[in-house]
Amino acid sequence: MTDTVTYKIENRIAWVSFNRPEKRNCMNPALNRRMTEVLDELEFNDDVGVLVLTGEGTAWTAGMDLKEYFRETQAKGLGAIRQAQRESYGWWRKLRWFQKPTIAMVNGWCFGGGYGPLYSCDLAIASEDAKFGLSEINWGILPGGGATKVVTDLMPMRDAMYHALTGESIDARKAADWSLINEAVPADQLKTRVTEIANVLLEKNPVALKATKDAVRRVNEMTYDNAEDYLVRAQEAAHYYDAEGSKEGIKQFIDDKTYKPGLGAYALKPQK
């Protein structure tokens, strides 16, 4: 039986791939369960500093598998529906708060339910020939599973409304203009560009990376005063957990004069 998700680790980057290319990597219950296992295997693996999520074949993921996730699950009753939802939403949540920074490398179609893991990744880089769409309206439902929240969080309201109401697909350049992704690059440069970004992240203090990615997501829904208080506490917690790291960065700047914070990261000590 073919593994629905595969991964390999190279130079501290975990390259994770949806592996149902014959189904345009639609997410079925088996894939959702396997993604939970893969994330568990990688999250605290010391050989991994960054996770990249991509898809085999011509799609990143075309969304939820209409036959296996919807029709077959619905035929089994409410218990099966809730179980399938827990499995899919569960690994998206796990990815959203993953210990390491994550990058969506969108190499093709990204539709509907695919917006869940797209949003869960910290950064998103797409091939210029990738396509994005909320097609739910075309088959008579609203964009559920968090998809509507994704577009309203990331896009201006008018763009989100147009995207959800028309069901029209957009190309990667438009997706970047609407802030659904960070960048659109030529297909033959996609992996190179993602690797460049991953290597930049690998130079950073991992405790600071985790605290920062969590802070960006948390403060988005806070008032300024609440965010200010949260960030003070988060900074104190990070310093308590990794006091030597912040001291080392300041030492290299002030005493050693070996780097400038505005131009790059301080030199991390080699891993044991």
Side-chain angles (χ1 to χ4, degrees), residues 13-14 16 35 39 42-43 48-53 60 91-92 94-105 117-125 182 194 197-198 201 209-210 213 217:
I13 304 172
V16 180
M35 273 301 311
L39 294 177
L42 296 176
E43 186 164 22
V48 175
V50 175
L51 182 148
V52 176
L53 182 60
W60 195 66
W91 78 258
W92 299 351
K94 184 182 290 287
L95 182 62
R96 198 157 60 245
W97 302 107
F98 198 68
Q99 188 71 21
K100 318 291 175 60
T102 57
I103 305 172
M105 186 171 81
L118 180 71
Y119 179 70
S120 294
C121 289
D122 302 317
L123 302 174
I125 311 298
N182 294 101
V194 169
I197 296 171
L201 297 174
L209 280 173
K210 173 59 174 168
K213 59 179 274 181
R217 291 191 185 273

Side-chain angles (χ1 to χ4, degrees), residues 62-250:
M64 309 312 287
D65 188 310
L66 299 188
K67 179 175 180 287
E68 294 186 40
Y69 183 85
F70 287 107
R71 176 181 285 177
E72 293 181 0
T73 299
Q74 289 168 355
K76 298 175 184 176
L78 183 59
I81 292 171
R82 292 290 181 258
Q83 178 65 22
Q85 290 169 338
R86 282 193 294 269
E87 290 170 346
S88 57
Y89 304 164
W91 78 258
W92 299 351
R93 187 178 304 111
K94 184 182 290 287
L95 182 62
R96 198 157 60 245
W97 302 107
F98 198 68
Q99 188 71 21
K100 318 291 175 60
T102 57
I103 305 172
M105 186 171 81
V106 185
N107 55 305
W109 289 16
C110 177
F111 280 77
Y115 282 31
L118 180 71
Y119 179 70
S120 294
C121 289
D122 302 317
L123 302 174
I125 311 298
S127 167
E128 287 178 340
D129 57 7
K131 297 293 183 184
F132 298 80
L134 290 182
S135 56
E136 284 86 345
I137 196 70
N138 294 333
W139 44 286
I141 68 169
L142 64 84
T148 300
K149 174 63 172 171
V150 170
V151 296
T152 55
D153 261 13
L154 298 181
M155 295 180 179
M157 189 274 285
R158 294 296 183 196
D159 295 331
M161 192 69 79
Y162 186 91
H163 197 49
L165 289 178
T166 66
E168 294 177 5
S169 63
I170 60 173
D171 62 24
R173 288 191 177 277
K174 176 67 76 174
D177 289 343
W178 284 356
S179 299
L180 188 60
I181 61 174
N182 294 101
E183 297 178 25
V185 300
D188 61 356
Q189 298 175 26
L190 180 60
K191 187 170 184 178
T192 298
R193 178 59 180 142
V194 169
T195 303
E196 289 174 354
I197 296 171
N199 284 331
V200 169
L201 297 174
L202 288 171
E203 294 176 352
K204 313 301 183 186
N205 180 307
V207 175
L209 280 173
K210 173 59 174 168
T212 300
K213 59 179 274 181
D214 287 359
V216 171
R217 291 191 185 273
R218 295 288 188 195
V219 302
N220 186 49
E221 297 180 347
M222 295 181 185
T223 64
Y224 185 89
D225 286 343
N226 287 343
E228 187 179 73
D229 185 67
Y230 166 83
L231 292 169
V232 167
R233 310 306 167 203
Q235 179 65 34
E236 290 172 348
H239 181 74
Y240 176 83
Y241 184 67
D242 184 40
E244 293 306 313
S246 58
K247 289 179 181 177
E248 181 64 22
I250 293 172

